[in-house]
Amino acid sequence: MDNRPIGVFDSGVGGLTVVKEIMKQLPAEDIVYFGDTARVPYGTRSRDTVIKFTLQSVRFLMSQGIKAVVLACNTASAISLEVAQQQFDVPILGVIEGGAIAAVHATKNKRIGVIGTEGTINSGAYERAIKLLDDSIETFAKPCPLFVPLVEEGLQDSEIAYMAAREYLSFFEDTGIDTLLMGCTHYPLMANTIRRAVGTGVKLINPAEKTALILKRTLLQMDILNDGAKHPRYRYFASDDGERFKKIGSSFLECHISCASKIDIERY
């Protein structure tokens, strides 16, 4: 048993979709969340910059005494996961594996769409993960870079968001996909808008649920679950305005965030 917290990192507030699932699957675990809100989005950054930002963020989480890290950011998972795993001595998980597994299990016609940031889509990480599970599946990928800033501004259900979704997702109209993998933690927050754009016949996949289950399995295998002797503690940190994080994050998490501390991430 290990009562140290789990660290979760994202480029902004979107990673709270993963935190929400971890709270559900592992209700006894303490959580430390860091959102790099001053430098969001990561999707248009260079590979070297994403790796630098990811390692700084993990170093901060390590300073909080965590026992495991989830890279909730899909771009960080796609580009930086292996580098981070080599540099730190705690289990580090990404979200690509969970998303791929969930999508492969969901598709009936073996035609899967993938949306994400430019960094995630250009990496081809989801396509490779899906092919490893079932090489007969055909994938179609499309970057949707405006979705992250729309979510960060709280505009995920606006007509502006719908117009952007129609513009991006028209790409899939002739592909015959029956499953659409939302390959960015921000995108599940736009699920209603995305569903309006693609129709109810396409199943939307949020990697967060499967990622939380993989985390639970990892902690069980390593025998480092929290013993549940006390009420779980959740702490939130951001690299920009903590008040804005609290407001937006509380709505996304569907519970009140009383404090979000601003940190100087460049120190790490």
Side-chain angles (χ1 to χ4, degrees):
M1 296 298 178
D2 189 330
N3 293 340
R4 290 177 297 167
I6 295 163
V8 180
F9 150 64
D10 186 66
S11 61
V13 297
L16 294 173
T17 58
V18 178
V19 168
K20 189 174 180 179
E21 288 298 326
I22 294 173
M23 290 173 172
K24 186 186 302 182
Q25 299 294 338
L26 293 161
E29 296 291 342
D30 294 351
I31 298 171
V32 176
Y33 181 88
F34 170 63
D36 194 5
T37 49
R39 303 187 294 196
V40 67
Y42 280 15
T44 56
R45 306 279 189 174
S46 70
R47 181 179 185 275
D48 288 347
T49 298
V50 172
I51 291 173
K52 173 189 172 183
F53 288 178
T54 301
L55 294 181
Q56 286 179 323
S57 300
V58 176
R59 287 189 200 105
F60 165 70
L61 291 173
M62 292 293 292
S63 77
Q64 301 301 301
I66 50 88
K67 63 184 176 185
V69 176
V70 178
L71 301 185
C73 174
N74 282 259
T75 303
S77 294
I79 294 173
S80 311
L81 179 60
E82 290 185 8
V83 177
Q85 289 172 332
Q86 291 166 4
Q87 293 206 15
F88 302 98
D89 60 357
V90 298
I92 300 180
L93 285 67
V95 291
I96 304 294
E97 179 188 4
I101 291 171
V104 168
H105 287 170
T107 186
K108 297 293 190 292
N109 69 0
K110 294 182 180 288
R111 299 174 75 84
I112 296 173
V114 181
I115 54 175
T117 65
E118 291 178 9
T120 298
I121 298 303
N122 291 340
S123 76
Y126 271 113
E127 293 94 316
R128 290 193 298 273
I130 288 168
K131 286 293 183 185
L132 283 173
L133 295 167
D134 186 340
D135 64 6
S136 69
I137 289 177
E138 192 169 2
T139 57
F140 306 85
K142 175 69 175 177
C144 303
L146 285 178
F147 284 2
V148 171
L150 284 167
V151 169
E152 291 281 333
E153 292 298 323
L155 296 171
Q156 64 270 16
D157 293 316
S158 67
E159 282 304 306
I160 295 173
Y162 177 66
M163 290 171 62
R166 285 293 304 148
E167 178 68 24
Y168 288 139
L169 302 178
S170 62
F171 170 82
F172 297 105
E173 286 178 358
D174 298 323
T175 62
I177 62 167
D178 70 347
T179 302
L180 182 63
L181 200 167
M182 297 182 289
C184 174
T185 51
H186 289 70
Y187 293 5
L189 300 165
M190 277 190 61
N192 291 335
T193 298
I194 292 170
R195 190 171 286 108
R196 279 181 66 196
V198 298
T200 56
V202 176
K203 183 167 185 178
L204 302 185
I205 300 298
N206 176 3
E209 180 179 356
K210 192 63 178 179
T211 298
L213 289 171
I214 292 172
L215 173 63
K216 182 177 183 178
R217 182 183 68 198
T218 300
L219 298 184
L220 278 167
Q221 289 173 343
M222 298 183 69
D223 196 24
I224 54 173
L225 282 171
N226 193 305
D227 62 15
K230 62 179 182 59
H231 190 74
R233 183 186 181 196
Y234 306 132
R235 289 179 288 154
Y236 304 93
F237 298 87
S239 54
D240 203 356
D241 182 15
E243 288 302 313
R244 184 172 179 273
F245 179 95
K246 283 194 302 180
K247 180 180 179 180
I248 298 174
S250 294
S251 65
F252 292 168
L253 203 55
E254 296 183 322
C255 68
H256 180 59
I257 296 174
S258 60
C259 178
S261 302
K262 180 181 177 182
I263 65 160
D264 180 6
I265 192 58
E266 294 290 354
R267 290 177 47 214
Y268 299 88

